[in-house]
Amino acid sequence: MHYSLVGESGLIPRKIISFFGRKLSASKIYSRKREKNFFDLTQPKTIENLGVKDSLVIFSSSISSPDKCEEDFTISWDVNVTNTSMAIEKLLNNNNKVLFLSSDNIYGGSKQSYDEDSPVNPKHPYALMKYAVESAFLPNNNFYSLRLSYVYTGDDKFTQNVLHSKKVEVFDGFFRSIVHINDLLRVLLKYGNDKKLPNVLNLVGPECISRETLIKYIIRDKKVDVDYKIIEPPRSFFKSRPSIINCKSIYLDDILENNRTSFIL
């Protein structure tokens, strides 16, 4: 199975490109950075440039900031739903399989745990947009939704703040089933091996952890000595995202052969 990538802005697409190497040549990447395969979700006309066929397409292009989706709902809906749907429809019509990078936000969030069989309850604009795309295409067996939690890459914004600040402020009450980038990449590889894998997968870590637990992991992983302070987040922070998403997976242990990255010390 050939791999293609739609969207290369951000840490996750860059990690994907690095990981897949020759399996994902420049001719199979579509983004604003490519002259030959120029693609921009804000410009619907560029959807015609998605000429890839018979490929496994990792669709990562989106406005991925929940705050941005809250503040600029109309523009974000046009990009994340209207134009994304047209692009995915074209890809599916060209006999591709589409791996859509969705979000655990669609469950709505609470202390109770969610798995792939749990009902969804999207409450915020970002979640509503992801769910709208899922609803349109999940009836198609060549469409797969990977519901990502927060992805730890080792050089993400939060980690960089920890590494380069004398004292770090950590938001209290913010819990996610954080997934390591290596686990995400291994899952993408599995989907390319022509095995029958679920059309909906919660791509999450084995535990739901706080930001304090994460910072302790970063201190150990990066071998740094950092002072941190737990603070209450501003009210606006939880306006566009749930405080707790305790997300589990029915399938992930089997897919990754019971070898998932834990952030618990």
Side-chain angles (χ1 to χ4, degrees), residues 18-173:
S18 176
F19 177 78
F20 280 98
R22 292 182 179 179
K23 292 181 180 179
L24 190 63
S25 65
S27 63
K28 300 172 185 175
I29 301 172
Y30 297 82
S31 79
R32 289 176 293 182
K33 298 181 180 180
R34 304 285 164 170
E35 183 176 349
K36 182 179 179 181
N37 293 336
F38 181 79
F39 173 73
D40 186 345
L41 266 181
T42 66
Q43 301 179 38
K45 290 183 179 180
T46 65
I47 293 172
E48 290 303 314
N49 296 337
L50 296 175
V52 61
K53 296 181 179 180
D54 305 311
S55 183
L56 181 68
V57 181
I58 304 167
F59 199 100
S60 69
S61 185
S62 72
I63 295 174
S64 58
S65 167
D67 297 320
K68 177 74 172 177
C69 293
E70 181 85 31
E71 295 163 4
D72 297 316
F73 181 85
T74 301
I75 293 174
S76 297
W77 185 275
D78 287 343
V79 170
N80 286 351
V81 180
T82 305
N83 297 348
T84 291
S85 295
M86 289 191 293
I88 290 175
E89 184 173 10
K90 179 176 176 60
L91 292 168
L92 291 173
N93 287 341
N94 283 343
N95 200 38
N96 295 294
K97 292 184 177 180
V98 176
L99 287 181
F100 177 64
L101 300 191
S102 187
S103 171
D104 61 357
N105 277 262
I106 71 167
Y107 291 109
S110 75
K111 291 182 180 179
Q112 74 180 69
S113 63
Y114 305 92
D115 62 33
E116 290 87 352
D117 288 340
S118 300
V120 299
N121 184 25
K123 297 179 180 178
H124 302 91
Y126 177 67
L128 288 167
M129 294 171 194
K130 291 296 187 183
Y131 180 60
V133 175
E134 286 193 12
S135 298
F137 294 104
L138 275 175
N140 189 312
N141 288 330
N142 285 326
F143 177 85
Y144 299 84
S145 180
L146 304 183
R147 294 172 178 170
L148 274 61
S149 183
Y150 179 91
V151 179
Y152 174 78
T153 65
D155 51 3
D156 50 89
K157 184 177 179 180
F158 181 74
T159 303
Q160 290 302 305
N161 185 41
V162 171
L163 296 179
H164 297 105
S165 301
K166 293 181 179 179
K167 191 164 186 176
V168 180
E169 293 183 337
V170 180
F171 286 170
D172 189 24

